[in-house]
Every structure is written in C-alpha cells, then in structure tokens.
Amino acid sequence: MKHINKIKIFTVMACLSCALGLQAVSKEKEKLMRLEADMLKYISTNDRDTFVKITDQLKDVSYEAGEERLYYTAWSNQAIYEATHQFYQRAFEIADNIMVAARKFDSKFGQYMAMHTRATILLQKQDYDAAENAYLEATEMRHRFFPDESAGEDLQELMKIANHRKDGPAGEKYARLILAEPNPAPIHKGRALYRLSQMAFNKNNVAEFNRIYKEMMDLKRTDGIGTIEPIVEVNYHIMNGEFDEALKLSEQLEPVMRAERQAVIYHRMGDDTKAFSSMQQFKKISDSITLVSHGNVVASCYVQMNNERMRLEQSLLEQRNNQLRIRLYISIGASIIIILLILGYQRQKAVRILKRDNKKLEKEKKDAEKALDVKNEFLNNITKELRTPLNPITGFTDILGTSDYQLEPEEQEAMRQLIKENSRLLSHMIDEMAEFSFFESKSSIPLSTNMNPHVLCEHLVSAMEIRCHPGVKLTYQSKLPQDYTIQSNVDALEKLLTHLLENAVHFTHIGSISVICELIEKNVRFSVADTGPGIIKSNQNQVFDMLSDSDNDARSIGMTYTICKSIARLLHGHIWLDEEYMNGVRFCFELPQEVKLK
C-alpha cells in the first residue's frame, strides 16, 4: 500500500512539472509575439525611444530563446527605422554591426539580413544602382545557404527598381524568377503575376495574358490574396474585345490610369477623336500626380506594416486561446489523479472561462478588422479629396512657370485666381480634418455652463447677415421663453450652429434662410433651413459619413456634416437631415432634457 501511494505522489509531481514547463514555454512564446507586434506598431511612428526600447527587449528575449531569425530581424528593423527617418549614416552603422556579429557567431541568416538591410537602406536613399547590386548579392547568398526557401522578397525589390527605371525586360526577368522560386510567398507571386500581365498586355499577347489572368484567379481562390487589381480586369476585357465592359470598369480606376486606359479602349474601337482627348487628359493629370506619389508609397508601406501587426496580434490571441486549452487539459488530468470528486466542477468552470474568452477574442477580432477597413477607406478617400484641388494648382503653376505657353495677361490672372481658389480649398480641407480629429478624439467635453440658446442664436444670425448673397433674407424665430436656459457647452454648440449657417449662406443664392429654436416635448430643437440646392436623394443617407463618395453633389462634399455629428455626440444631442423638406435643405439638432428655468 505504501509503495502504491509513493507511485501516486510521483505521478502527480511529474504531471505538475510537465505543466509548469509547458506554461513557461507558452509564456516565453507569448512574450516574443507581443514584443514583435509592438515592434511593428511603433516602426511607423516618430516615437524613436519607445521603438528602440521594444526592439532591444525583443533582441534580448529572442537571443535567450535561441530565436536566431527573430533576433536579426529585430536588429535589422532598427536600421530600417533610422533610414526611414533619413538618418542614413546611423542606419549603415547598424547594418555593419549586424554583419560583424553574424560573422562572429557564423550565422548565415544574420549575414544575409545584414546584406538585405544594407540594400533596403540604399533603396530608401534612391541609390538604385548600389541597391540593385546589394539585392543581387543578398539573393545569391539566400540561394546558396537556404536553397529550400524563397528569395522572393529580394527579387520583388529588384522588380520595383526595374519598374522605376522603366526597364521592361529586367522587370519581366525578375517577375519570372519570383515564380520559379521554391515556395514563393503568395503576395510575392501575386505581384509577379501582375507585372507579367502588364507585359503581356503591352505586347498584345492575348493567349499569354489570359493564361496569367487564370493563374491570378487561381491564386485568389487558393491563397486568398485580396482581389485582382481593377486595371487587370479592364485589361482582360480589352484583350478579349469586350470594350463596353472595359469602359464601364475603367470608371473604378484612379483618374490618371482611367484616362490612359480609356485612350487605349477608344483607339481599339476606332474612335481616335475620343482616344486623343483621353490621352490629353492623361498627360495633364499624370504630371501633377508625381508630387503626391511618394507620400502614397510611404502611406502604403505603413498600411502594410499595420496589416502585419494586426496579423501578429491575431496570432497572439490564438496563442492565448491555445494556452487556455492546455491549462484546461492539465487541470482535468491533475484533478483525476488528485481527486475524482471535483472533476466535474473543475471542468465546467474551465469551459465557462473558455467560452467567455472566446467571445472576447471574437469581438476583438471583429473590432480589429473593422478598424483596418475604416483606416484603408479613410486613406483612399483623403488621397482622392486632396488630389482634387492639388491637381489644378500643380498644372496651372507649371504653365505659368514655363515659357512654352504664350498667355495673355487676362489668362494669367484667371489661372492665378484658380490657383488661389484651389489653395483655399486645400487649406479648408486640412482645417476640416484638424477640427474633425480634435472633436472625434474626445470622449466628453464640459457641459456645466448655463446658457440662453435664444441669445446665442440671435448673435450668430446677426453675424451671418452681412455674409448672405444679395437678395437672400436671413430670419430667426424663437419659440422659447426669453429667460430660458440650458446646461451645455457654449463653444461647441456655437461651432455646430456656425457650420450649419455657413453652409446655408454659401449655397443659398436666392430666396431665404431661416433659423428656428423651439421646445419639442422635453428637448430643445434648433433647425436651419434654406432655399438653396437640395441634396441628392441617394446621398442623403450618407451625408454624415466621413468623406462620402458623392462627386455629383456639391453639398455632400467635405467633412462639415461629419464634424457636426461629432460635436452633437459630445453634446449628448442628435442631428439629422430633414428628408421631408422639399424647398432646399433643412438640418435639425436636438439637445436632451437637462434644462433649467431661471
């Protein structure tokens, strides 16, 4: 009997030791993943101290854990961070230190990372010749020491350099080398196929283009690499003679690419007049696009980094979920050995914890995906909005600054006025973004000021009368007692009403503008109505959305209504567009009950 008891005790101790060992390994893995996610989070910020602190911690932890590749990757990112912020000398010093350490410990991967890092720094300096040689050396080393791994990342950068030089044969060569790599990453394969599809289109090789298009569709289905670029879809219909469908899809392209593709379509349709007009439009806007292209590339890199960070954070959540499962199984096993009577209770408790955490993980995943979609949409919309005034500024400035055009003084003055007006629009957009960011970043504002809404409305109406177009009548009507007061924030409420009045004054050229303040049930309602142009029915349900796509409706463009919605939220109020008002536009805003009579 004593011998049996000793065996039981030994078994319990062994199980507990195993459990502690697994838990220690799991915690170490979790710490590495958390640090890696934080590294990708801060690499796109200006907080250098925090980034260096995190990467140093990641280097120490990965070195202790024997994670060679993560160790050199963290070190490499320090150099790339310095190069991104144009501290090139500091970046090269870090790359040299990586090579010294890698040679000291005879780490082939470390030597490869040092070469790859130096190539990336040279590319950021726009030293394309040196960058190309460095990437070729890194590719050769990866093939020599890691023959079963893909060098697609280096070949992809070489393809970019060839594209920048407009060296078509070199770009095609590197694209085909990517496809010939062992186990190329789906994202690298997708970009290589995209490049080859462009080459096949330029050569008018229908069979080759259709074959590549089929591979891209297969890649989308098997590996889920996003969606096929719209330009590829347009080219597919052009190559196969489906010109009407190609014209329809070309409307989804960016302005410069849309004009260029439509020129090709009209030419192949035999309408050279429209083809010439489209090519003129392409030339006009392609020159101005150059000014903002670099900023778009940087923004795209930051988005890609954030996507990688989100992937790591999701992996971290899954790791935690796996840890909960491991703990559950260990708890069940130990409970069986220690005491069978409490097995059912422990299992039910662990299951409840697991379900709660799974729900939490699912919610965090959905929130992360939603945040990523909003960010991508905002980036696309803000780029489009900024280009609208920037394109004519750049185009007319080039015309005024060259001697190739002989312009009359009246034409020069007209162009200067257009530049001035578009500069004002650009400045106005930036001010709106700053104001929206200010109000949207706040969760609350002070609402402790006693104020008279009647006095505020009278003041704003009096100030706006002089800004009305000739013949437009601005009236104010109050249905509240003269001494009626509410508790709110005067500055925020004044800002909201000012935006609504400025909008009405700007768009109302004939007729009238009316402001009404009244008590509806237990709420105070403000309404601003005008006889200006109405808002298109299809745009009314998205008028408060941030930078909504409403190019055909001048009153829906901009962020004015989005700012008003943010202010309304902070005031615990509600703002809406009165869709039943048919004489123009009427916006209504209500404050909740929290009012006092003097």
Side-chain angles (χ1 to χ4, degrees):
M1 182 64 69
K2 292 182 178 180
H3 178 68
I4 293 175
N5 290 335
K6 289 182 179 179
I7 292 176
K8 289 182 177 180
I9 293 173
F10 178 79
T11 302
V12 171
M13 295 299 294
C15 290
L16 292 176
S17 298
C18 180
L20 291 174
L22 288 173
Q23 187 173 4
V25 172
S26 179
K27 286 184 177 180
E28 183 179 76
K29 185 68 174 178
E30 179 182 348
K31 185 175 182 180
L32 283 170
M33 293 178 67
R34 186 184 300 110
L35 287 171
E36 188 177 4
D38 289 341
M39 175 182 67
L40 292 173
K41 174 182 178 181
Y42 282 93
I43 196 172
S44 59
T45 69
N46 292 322
D47 192 349
R48 181 180 181 276
D49 293 337
T50 302
F51 175 77
V52 172
K53 179 180 178 181
I54 290 171
T55 47
D56 283 342
Q57 290 178 358
L58 181 56
K59 286 170 58 182
D60 294 338
V61 176
S62 58
Y63 181 85
E64 293 295 330
E67 294 286 344
E68 177 193 27
R69 297 200 170 195
L70 189 55
Y71 172 80
Y72 286 108
T73 299
W75 205 350
S76 170
N77 281 340
Q78 288 184 339
I80 293 173
Y81 181 92
E82 300 294 350
T84 302
H85 293 78
Q86 299 183 353
F87 296 110
Y88 299 114
Q89 185 61 37
R90 193 182 301 169
F92 282 123
E93 290 176 1
I94 297 174
D96 292 339
N97 291 336
I98 295 174
M99 179 62 77
V100 171
R103 288 173 175 171
K104 177 181 178 182
F105 296 105
D106 194 25
S107 171
K108 303 303 181 186
F109 182 80
Q111 294 177 46
Y112 160 76
M113 283 302 297
M115 298 169 67
H116 175 82
T117 302
R118 175 170 284 275
T120 302
I121 298 170
L122 290 168
L123 182 58
Q124 292 200 17
K125 284 189 67 178
Q126 299 183 0
D127 189 350
Y128 297 110
D129 291 338
E132 182 179 25
N133 292 331
Y135 277 122
L136 287 171
E137 291 177 2
T139 302
E140 193 276 333
M141 184 170 188
R142 185 149 193 150
H143 284 158
R144 188 195 320 162
F145 294 105
F146 308 99
D148 296 329
E149 297 180 7
S150 170
E153 185 175 1
D154 300 299
L155 291 170
Q156 177 180 278
E157 299 302 325
L158 287 167
M159 185 173 67
K160 290 180 181 178
I161 293 174
N163 294 343
H164 175 80
R165 292 172 170 170
K166 301 188 183 304
D167 187 347
E172 182 177 5
K173 179 185 74 172
Y174 292 128
R176 296 192 183 281
L177 288 175
I178 291 174
L179 297 179
E181 285 291 292
N183 304 317
I187 189 170
H188 298 155
K189 185 176 180 181
R191 290 174 179 171
L193 288 171
Y194 173 76
R195 176 60 182 168
L196 292 176
S197 74
Q198 294 294 95
M199 298 295 296
F201 179 84
N202 293 337
K203 295 177 182 178
N204 200 27
N205 190 333
V206 178
E208 176 70 6
F209 182 92
N210 288 339
R211 183 188 66 77
I212 295 171
Y213 178 84
K214 183 178 181 300
E215 285 192 48
M216 295 176 77
M217 292 295 292
D218 292 339
L219 183 66
K220 174 186 173 183
R221 285 191 295 268
T222 57
D223 295 279
I225 302 300
T227 58
I228 291 183
E229 294 284 343
I231 183 64
V232 178
E233 294 286 0
V234 173
N235 289 345
Y236 173 80
H237 291 291
I238 294 176
M239 295 291 283
N240 291 277
E242 300 168 356
F243 300 120
D244 290 338
E245 186 64 20
L247 280 174
K248 180 180 178 181
L249 290 177
S250 68
E251 294 299 326
Q252 301 176 14
L253 303 178
E254 292 293 327
V256 61
M257 192 175 294
R258 181 195 313 146
E260 192 271 341
R261 288 296 100 163
Q262 288 180 352
V264 173
I265 296 169
Y266 286 128
H267 175 69
R268 297 199 180 190
M269 292 174 67
D271 192 342
D272 289 335
T273 300
K274 290 185 178 180
F276 178 76
S277 176
S278 296
M279 187 55 68
Q280 282 185 317
Q281 182 70 10
F282 164 73
K283 182 64 174 65
K284 177 180 179 181
I285 61 180
S286 62
D287 293 338
S288 61
I289 282 289
T290 304
L291 293 176
V292 296
S293 61
H294 179 69
N296 289 340
V297 170
V298 174
S300 177
C301 291
Y302 283 169
V303 169
Q304 184 175 358
M305 291 177 183
N306 285 329
N307 288 342
E308 182 65 12
R309 177 175 62 84
M310 297 300 295
R311 183 190 65 78
L312 285 172
E313 290 178 348
Q314 177 62 25
S315 298
L316 183 60
L317 294 177
E318 293 174 357
Q319 176 71 11
R320 290 175 180 172
N321 195 12
N322 292 334
Q323 290 175 4
L324 290 173
R325 290 193 179 95
I326 292 173
R327 291 172 184 172
L328 173 62
Y329 298 147
I330 293 173
S331 299
I332 293 175
S335 299
I336 292 174
I337 298 172
I338 298 172
I339 183 168
L340 296 176
L341 297 177
I342 62 172
L343 176 61
Y345 171 78
Q346 290 290 343
R347 185 177 183 280
Q348 292 175 2
K349 180 179 179 181
V351 168
R352 286 196 302 269
I353 293 174
L354 183 59
K355 288 182 178 180
R356 183 181 69 241
D357 288 339
N358 281 339
K359 290 181 180 179
K360 181 179 178 181
L361 293 176
E362 186 65 22
K363 182 178 182 301
E364 291 178 352
K365 176 184 176 182
K366 291 180 179 179
D367 291 342
E369 292 174 347
K370 181 178 179 182
L372 180 60
D373 291 339
V374 171
K375 178 174 60 182
N376 288 335
E377 181 182 359
F378 177 80
L379 182 62
N380 291 333
N381 288 340
I382 198 62
T383 301
K384 177 180 177 183
E385 291 295 326
L386 289 176
R387 282 178 179 173
T388 300
L390 187 59
N391 287 342
I393 292 174
T394 307
F396 290 138
T397 302
D398 289 343
I399 293 174
L400 291 174
T402 183
S403 59
D404 295 338
Y405 297 91
Q406 299 297 327
L407 301 176
E408 297 295 332
E410 296 80 2
E411 294 176 328
Q412 293 181 359
E413 181 60 26
M415 287 188 181
R416 290 191 186 97
Q417 291 301 321
L418 287 172
I419 292 173
K420 182 178 180 181
E421 176 60 19
N422 281 280
S423 298
R424 185 193 64 78
L425 289 175
L426 184 61
S427 177
H428 179 67
M429 274 190 245
I430 294 173
D431 291 340
E432 282 190 333
M433 285 187 285
E435 185 177 0
F436 170 75
S437 177
F438 173 80
F439 286 110
E440 190 66 17
S441 64
K442 293 183 176 298
S443 59
S444 64
I445 57 176
L447 300 173
S448 58
T449 303
N450 286 327
M451 57 166 291
N452 188 320
H454 171 68
V455 173
L456 175 62
C457 290
E458 278 191 332
H459 168 70
L460 292 177
V461 169
S462 176
M464 286 291 175
E465 282 182 339
I466 60 174
R467 297 171 59 178
C468 291
H469 292 282
V472 176
K473 185 178 181 181
L474 175 59
T475 63
Y476 167 63
Q477 180 181 4
S478 174
K479 298 181 181 180
L480 298 176
Q482 289 294 322
D483 58 348
Y484 195 85
T485 63
I486 60 174
Q487 275 194 333
S488 187
N489 186 295
V490 177
D491 294 335
L493 181 56
E494 181 178 0
K495 179 68 71 173
L496 190 156
L497 291 173
T498 299
H499 276 308
L500 294 179
L501 280 170
E502 286 178 341
N503 185 270
V505 169
H506 178 73
F507 287 99
T508 305
H509 296 274
I510 59 173
S512 63
I513 302 171
S514 63
V515 180
I516 299 176
C517 183
E518 57 188 333
L519 190 63
I520 304 297
E521 295 181 353
K522 294 184 179 180
N523 294 330
V524 179
R525 176 181 295 178
F526 303 84
S527 63
V528 179
D530 62 67
T531 58
I535 296 176
I536 297 175
K537 191 72 175 178
S538 60
N539 293 335
Q540 291 181 358
N541 60 348
Q542 60 181 6
V543 70
F544 295 103
D545 293 345
M546 181 171 55
L547 294 174
S548 60
D549 187 10
S550 52
D551 293 338
N552 297 324
D553 190 350
R555 296 203 71 164
S556 299
I557 297 175
M559 301 180 67
T560 299
Y561 304 132
T562 309
I563 294 171
C564 291
K565 182 179 178 181
S566 296
I567 298 175
R569 172 182 62 84
L570 295 173
L571 294 175
H572 300 281
H574 172 57
I575 187 170
W576 71 94
L577 171 65
D578 188 353
E579 298 180 3
E580 297 181 358
Y581 185 75
M582 305 303 294
N583 295 327
V585 173
R586 177 163 63 191
F587 283 93
C588 299
F589 166 62
E590 284 188 1
L591 287 178
Q593 171 61 29
E594 295 187 5
V595 297
K596 294 181 180 179
L597 286 172
K598 285 187 176 180

